[in-house]
Amino acid sequence: MDRVIIFDTTLRDGEQAAGGTLNVQEKLEIARQLERLRVDIIEAGFPISSPGDFEAVRLIAKEVRTPVICALARAHPDDIDRAWEAVKEAAHPRLHVFLSASDIHLLHQLKKSREEILETSREMVVRAKRYTDDIEFSPMDASRTEPEYIYQILKAVIDAGATTVNIPDTVGYAIPQEFGRLLEGIFKSVPNIGRAVVSVHCHNDLGLAVANSLESVKRGARQVECTVNGIGERAGNASLEEIVMAIKTRNDFFGMTTNVDTRQIYRSSRLVSELTGFTVQPNKAIVGANAFRHESGIHQDGVIKMPITYEIMDPRTVGIPASSLVLGKLSGRHAFKERLAELGYSLGEEDLKRAFSTFKELADKKKGITDRDIESLVAEERRTVSEAYHLDRVQVSCGDRGIPTAAVELTAPDGQVLADAALGTGPVDAVYKAINRIVNVPNVLVEFSVKSITEGIDAIGEVLVRIESGGVTYTGRGADTDIIVASAKAYMNALNRLLSAGK
Ligand code: KIV
Ligand code: ZN
């Protein structure tokens, strides 16, 4: 087979990233985008881990029909039954069963013998197989496990019915050549390996997740597990966009393809960043803000003469819009809609109407409206849909003499308009205190950051906050040309997410 199967685990391993919690609707929105991106498999969650995860997997399985929808389960009967319950309505369901294999995990965590692990792995694949044919098995921490023992496990689970065997570098410990040798050993020493797809799942603790994944492809792996923007547990997972674009750009080296519609990469990256609150670093390969920017004069000169001089990929192939057309207050609805389409958004009539009116308001305040402004504006619109409390007004008085004071007016879920005021150490503190007097849910602000999303004094400011309540972190974002208003919106966004999770 000369195609690499792309297994996306943004919604499962990606969501395990500290502070990256998504609600059910946000997961569905990302799953829909992953479908447009044409990944082959979406690992939608770990159903036994929480009711929210169960619901997200169930909903995605019902609504997203083209890719395989996968649910994760430990090698335990209750996990497997629960995972199946969540994924059973999928057009193409998969169960992914995992169990630790390394002596380090067996000795210090599971306190089980190798024989017990081997037997449980086999039995649990048999149990999962009662539900569906499409079974994946992962011997966790494989890169720190004695290869001979991995071969035994793989042989046993394939005999029991596993159709994909995944080799996880769970703690990002592997070095490409060494990981490649493990793959080579598997192909040589597991007699029934031809009956399963060999997959890899690499973490990025040493910054080698993509290198290890690509080395594995070269050694015969035909499924790669990855996440959009490389998000995930600790230092993250192998980044989907880097793997896909390496395979495409260096087809001469790999001789492989993927099913991915690369023009959806940029849009997917923006959506995941927006909903998780994880900013993409500017120098991030493929999707970072600087990935296609040429600063040095020599490079600029070359690119103007012939892009191939310093550009190994055409930015349009990853969906970065080619036109640098800037919209302004005279731009009409048609131009706005066209620009949205070029950026990968297709809004319904109502949403378009609202977005266009916000665009016009913005155009009155700001001279040129760039793509980033439009993205921010659409994101802001999305955030206000389905909110419990809505921010109607915010007003502050501050400076180096007086006491910072804020007054806010919110619409409550029952439609009542509520107003309150508070003093604070600064204007943002005062606003948050005034909001808390109305919303009244205990929470602690653990992160606050503000950045301008474009250049210029009239730029939109984007605020990100994280609040903690009951041991869970909720992220909120808000954007406005006034950073106090953006701060209020971000806080309201986080509070609304907290409230909707509580429900
Ligand atoms: O990193 C890991 O080992 C995992 C498994 C569940 C595949 O995420
Ligand atoms: Zn993982």
Side-chain angles (χ1 to χ4, degrees):
M1 186 170 99
D2 55 7
R3 186 167 71 80
V4 178
I5 297 167
I6 298 296
F7 177 114
D8 180 277
T9 183
T10 306
L11 296 175
R12 200 277 297 169
D13 219 335
E15 207 223 4
Q16 280 175 225
T21 329
L22 297 162
N23 65 32
V24 174
Q25 283 311 318
E26 290 166 337
K27 286 187 184 177
L28 180 61
E29 195 173 345
I30 292 180
R32 290 207 165 109
Q33 177 58 26
L34 291 172
E35 185 177 37
R36 281 191 284 274
L37 181 63
R38 290 214 309 258
V39 304
D40 300 285
I41 300 156
I42 296 175
E43 186 163 55
F46 186 8
I48 204 157
S49 67
S50 73
D53 242 41
F54 178 89
E55 186 48 27
V57 176
R58 201 189 60 77
L59 195 64
I60 292 168
K62 263 176 74 178
E63 303 273 326
V64 181
R65 308 302 286 174
T66 318
V68 171
I69 306 298
C70 175
L72 183 71
R74 286 169 299 188
H76 190 281
D78 295 349
D79 273 48
I80 293 171
D81 299 349
R82 188 84 177 137
W84 177 248
E85 204 43 44
V87 86
K88 67 181 180 195
E89 285 188 64
H92 316 283
R94 170 178 291 193
L95 289 174
H96 177 187
V97 181
F98 73 98
L99 183 58
S100 285
S102 68
D103 286 341
I104 300 175
H105 284 205
L106 268 54
L107 190 68
H108 300 292
Q109 193 179 13
L110 301 185
K111 310 208 185 306
K112 292 250 164 73
S113 69
R114 285 189 180 185
E115 291 68 33
E116 285 171 291
I117 294 294
L118 188 66
E119 191 43 30
T120 308
S121 306
R122 206 193 53 75
E123 277 173 13
M124 290 305 113
V125 169
V126 169
R127 186 180 186 98
K129 198 75 181 177
R130 292 202 317 227
Y131 292 125
T132 173
D133 249 358
D134 191 346
I135 305 295
E136 172 167 333
F137 182 84
S138 294
M140 192 154 80
D141 205 17
S143 54
R144 293 193 300 169
T145 306
E146 191 192 307
E148 300 300 327
Y149 182 52
I150 292 283
Y151 306 155
Q152 276 181 36
I153 295 180
L154 298 187
K155 177 175 180 313
V157 295
I158 294 170
D159 278 341
T163 42
T164 298
V165 286
N166 180 42
I167 314 301
D169 180 22
T170 303
V171 290
Y173 179 74
I175 301 293
Q177 288 80 352
E178 172 198 54
F179 201 55
R181 278 198 299 276
L182 174 62
L183 267 282
E184 203 175 79
I186 288 170
F187 282 108
K188 256 197 222 136
S189 315
V190 179
N192 53 3
I193 199 71
R195 296 197 340 237
V197 172
V198 175
S199 165
V200 288
H201 174 111
C202 299
H203 278 270
N204 206 29
D205 300 65
L206 293 174
L208 292 170
V210 169
N212 283 325
S213 307
L214 292 174
E215 179 66 23
S216 310
V217 167
K218 209 56 192 161
R219 305 287 188 123
R222 287 297 172 265
Q223 175 178 293
V224 174
E225 303 199 352
C226 45
T227 59
V228 173
N229 297 339
I231 64 167
E233 185 84 43
R234 307 181 309 281
N237 289 63
S239 133
L240 179 147
E241 55 279 3
E242 293 177 25
I243 287 171
V244 167
M245 290 313 291
I247 292 173
K248 184 179 170 78
T249 309
R250 295 306 310 274
N251 178 270
D252 59 319
F253 182 77
F254 290 105
M256 296 278 155
T257 57
T258 69
N259 258 348
V260 167
D261 177 356
T262 59
R263 291 164 307 173
Q264 291 291 333
I265 284 180
Y266 178 71
R267 172 88 200 90
S268 308
S269 165
R270 298 292 322 145
L271 182 70
V272 168
S273 167
E274 152 67 25
L275 295 183
T276 57
F278 294 132
T279 323
V280 175
Q281 80 208 45
N283 60 326
K284 164 86 176 63
I286 319 295
V287 290
N290 291 348
F292 294 94
R293 268 194 188 161
H294 304 276
E295 191 69 22
S296 105
I298 297 175
H299 289 206
Q300 287 177 350
D301 173 64
V303 169
I304 289 165
K305 287 177 177 150
M306 180 61 85
I308 198 178
T309 49
Y310 292 95
E311 256 179 23
I312 60 166
M313 294 166 273
D314 180 337
R316 285 170 300 187
T317 58
V318 297
I320 295 177
S323 122
S324 54
L325 193 74
V326 173
L327 299 183
K329 66 178 180 187
L330 297 177
S331 307
R333 195 178 144 96
H334 185 67
F336 178 64
K337 194 175 167 187
E338 292 255 296
R339 200 80 203 106
L340 282 175
E342 277 176 49
L343 291 169
Y345 298 102
S346 77
L347 303 190
E349 259 321 294
E350 262 318 294
D351 291 344
L352 180 66
K353 219 163 124 188
R354 266 208 323 270
F356 185 62
S357 113
T358 318
F359 161 75
K360 280 292 188 186
E361 275 171 34
L362 180 63
D364 270 337
K365 294 186 202 158
K366 189 175 185 296
K367 231 168 122 220
I369 311 277
T370 66
D371 291 344
R372 285 291 286 115
D373 291 326
I374 294 176
E375 284 171 358
S376 162
L377 180 154
V378 176
E380 191 55 50
E381 283 298 312
R382 189 194 301 115
R383 284 192 282 264
T384 56
V385 176
S386 76
E387 53 183 8
Y389 284 87
H390 178 72
L391 176 76
D392 295 327
R393 275 166 213 254
V394 53
Q395 196 183 332
V396 294
S397 141
C398 62
D400 61 352
R401 302 289 138 151
I403 301 172
T405 314
V408 297
E409 197 178 275
L410 313 182
T411 304
D414 61 3
Q416 261 196 82
V417 176
L418 305 168
D420 216 319
L423 306 177
T425 51
V428 174
D429 184 46
V431 168
Y432 287 12
K433 282 186 174 139
I435 291 174
N436 278 333
R437 288 171 65 94
I438 300 175
V439 178
N440 200 20
V441 275
N443 71 87
V444 179
L445 181 71
V446 289
E447 192 180 325
F448 175 92
S449 65
V450 56
K451 70 169 199 262
S452 106
I453 61 169
T454 46
E455 295 96 13
I457 195 73
D458 58 356
I460 292 183
E462 204 169 59
V463 173
L464 179 137
V465 299
R466 291 191 209 276
I467 59 173
E468 234 173 59
S469 180
V472 183
T473 307
Y474 301 89
T475 304
R477 277 184 152 180
D480 200 280
T481 46
D482 180 323
I483 57 165
I484 300 299
V485 178
S487 305
K489 285 178 175 174
Y491 194 53
M492 291 300 302
N493 182 229
L495 285 175
N496 277 319
R497 292 172 71 162
L498 189 167
L499 292 168
S500 92
K503 259 199 253 155

